[in-house]
Amino acid sequence: MTDETKENADVDTTSDTPVRPRFATDSAPTHDERVADERAVAEEDSNPAVAGVLETKLMNVFYGDFRAVADVSMSFHFNDISALIGPSGCGKSTVLRSLNRMNDLIPSARVEGEVRYHGANIYDDGIDPVEVRRRIGMVFQKPNPFPKSIFDNIAWGAKINGFKGSKSDMNDLVENALRQAALWDEVKDKQSESGLSLSGGQQQRLCIARAIATQPDVLLMDEPCSALDPIATLKIEELMIELKENYSIVIVTHNMQQAARVSDRTAFFNVELDTDGQRTGYLVEFSPTDELFTNPREKDTEDYITGRFG
């Protein structure tokens, strides 16, 4: 497993506070310099006035003794789309899965540091990971509808999460989820058919509707368009922009053009090798998307987005 992150710092660029000076671009920062910078960021982000819906504070992710992600501090804003970009193996998906405890399903995985959702650390003792995943939904890279009807794909999640309404209420919930996923008009007359009968793009929107049905307020999307054709990709991108009115969205993408099109803020992750050849990812910068793509603060970011590596 090669995912990991060693982060430089997430600065809240929406405030009037001057941006903290970045590392010099003529020499790479040391680990100690990065950690000192990250601790300063974590202290800044503890200010409730600038806190986001979801925050990480010096988060490290391990697989056994292998550290895959190092000292990541980020703040994801309400009703924003945040994109995570970077070369393969830099820890983007590991970071994403840590945001709703999906990594708990990997026996060797553990998380140190904090991931705060509305101010509460989701890794505290006594926190139910199933409830975390209900509130912070996940859409995966490959569409994975259940081998059930279109209707039951949506209704099942609500039922297992304790839905107590009438049949009419369930019908309304399913319709609302399908409408939010821009799928209702295409399937309203065939809800009894299998979700597997839909096209790839429709299946992915069905999976988004299924995530919405549990009424989360954060949606995590792990390369949701990588298996889709350009037309289906455009529909998903348009859908994400519509959904951010009601949800905060974090997306992992290898497509920098997609990040530029849909996201409000973009995080660039990079990776470094230790003396044993192990890859550890780290966060280089997390900035408003327009700023990151036109005036990046870090030379590594500029080199990546201009194609010099990656």
Side-chain angles (χ1 to χ4, degrees):
M1 303 177 193
T2 59
D3 271 340
E4 289 226 52
T5 21
K6 177 169 280 184
E7 131 184 34
N8 247 18
D10 163 25
V11 180
D12 189 295
T13 56
T14 61
S15 71
D16 293 329
T17 305
V19 174
R20 187 172 51 259
R22 308 303 302 170
F23 297 123
T25 57
D26 57 351
S27 61
T30 66
H31 172 70
D32 289 344
E33 288 172 331
R34 285 197 192 110
V35 170
D37 194 53
E38 289 148 6
R39 291 189 185 281
V41 172
E43 290 172 3
E44 285 180 9
D45 286 344
S46 66
N47 180 352
V50 298
V53 60
L54 196 61
E55 300 172 278
T56 67
K57 296 180 184 297
L58 298 174
M59 182 183 74
N60 293 264
V61 183
F62 294 84
Y63 297 111
D65 294 331
F66 168 60
R67 180 163 68 168
V69 172
D71 302 318
V72 174
S73 297
M74 309 176 73
S75 180
F76 299 99
H77 294 179
F78 289 86
N79 303 109
D80 260 8
I81 299 175
S82 300
L84 312 184
I85 65 171
S88 296
C90 68
K92 304 181 298 293
S93 291
T94 289
V95 169
L96 192 78
R97 291 193 301 265
S98 298
L99 298 178
N100 73 343
R101 296 189 58 170
M102 193 64 69
N103 280 334
D104 288 12
L105 303 176
I106 302 173
S108 64
R110 76 179 191 279
V111 173
E112 296 180 358
E114 296 183 347
V115 178
R116 292 193 166 272
Y117 169 72
H118 292 288
N121 183 10
I122 66 173
Y123 286 94
D124 278 349
D125 293 340
I127 298 294
D128 181 2
V130 175
E131 179 64 16
V132 168
R133 294 174 201 135
R134 187 191 73 77
R135 295 173 181 266
I136 307 172
M138 173 75 83
V139 177
F140 296 94
Q141 178 176 355
K142 184 178 179 181
N144 60 344
F146 300 136
K148 298 175 178 288
S149 70
I150 293 168
F151 182 94
D152 286 340
N153 261 273
I154 309 301
W156 184 81
K159 288 177 180 176
I160 65 169
N161 280 285
F163 181 82
K164 302 295 184 183
S166 65
K167 182 177 180 180
S168 176
D169 292 334
M170 178 60 80
N171 290 339
D172 290 343
L173 182 148
V174 170
E175 178 177 343
N176 181 60
L178 290 170
R179 284 188 182 278
Q180 287 191 73
L183 192 57
W184 173 252
D185 289 340
E186 298 169 42
V187 303
K188 61 184 178 182
D189 296 324
K190 53 180 182 180
Q191 294 179 64
S192 61
E193 297 181 15
S194 171
L196 298 174
S197 68
L198 299 175
S199 69
Q202 289 175 323
Q203 287 185 20
Q204 192 66 299
R205 281 182 283 149
L206 180 64
C207 293
I208 292 172
R210 185 176 66 196
I212 289 171
T214 63
Q215 300 180 328
D217 60 0
V218 178
L219 287 175
L220 310 178
M221 298 186 176
D222 193 358
E223 298 187 61
C225 302
S226 65
L228 305 181
D229 61 58
I231 294 174
T233 293
L234 179 60
K235 287 186 177 182
I236 296 293
E237 290 179 356
E238 292 172 344
L239 176 58
M240 284 191 282
I241 292 171
E242 292 176 8
L243 288 174
K244 78 171 184 177
E245 294 183 8
N246 298 307
Y247 307 93
S248 302
I249 298 173
V250 185
I251 176 175
V252 165
T253 180
H254 279 289
N255 186 329
M256 285 187 284
Q257 290 76 22
Q258 181 175 75
R261 286 192 298 265
V262 305
S263 70
D264 300 287
R265 304 180 79 212
T266 298
F268 168 57
F269 288 83
N270 205 352
V271 64
E272 65 182 13
L273 298 177
D274 65 15
T275 55
D276 296 324
Q278 290 189 326
R279 300 164 66 90
T280 298
Y282 60 95
L283 177 64
V284 177
E285 67 175 282
F286 188 23
S287 305
T289 295
D290 289 346
E291 177 184 315
L292 184 135
F293 281 103
T294 60
N295 188 28
R297 298 195 304 263
E298 300 296 334
K299 186 176 186 302
D300 280 353
T301 309
E302 180 180 358
D303 288 348
Y304 181 74
I305 64 177
T306 56
R308 291 191 178 97
F309 75 95

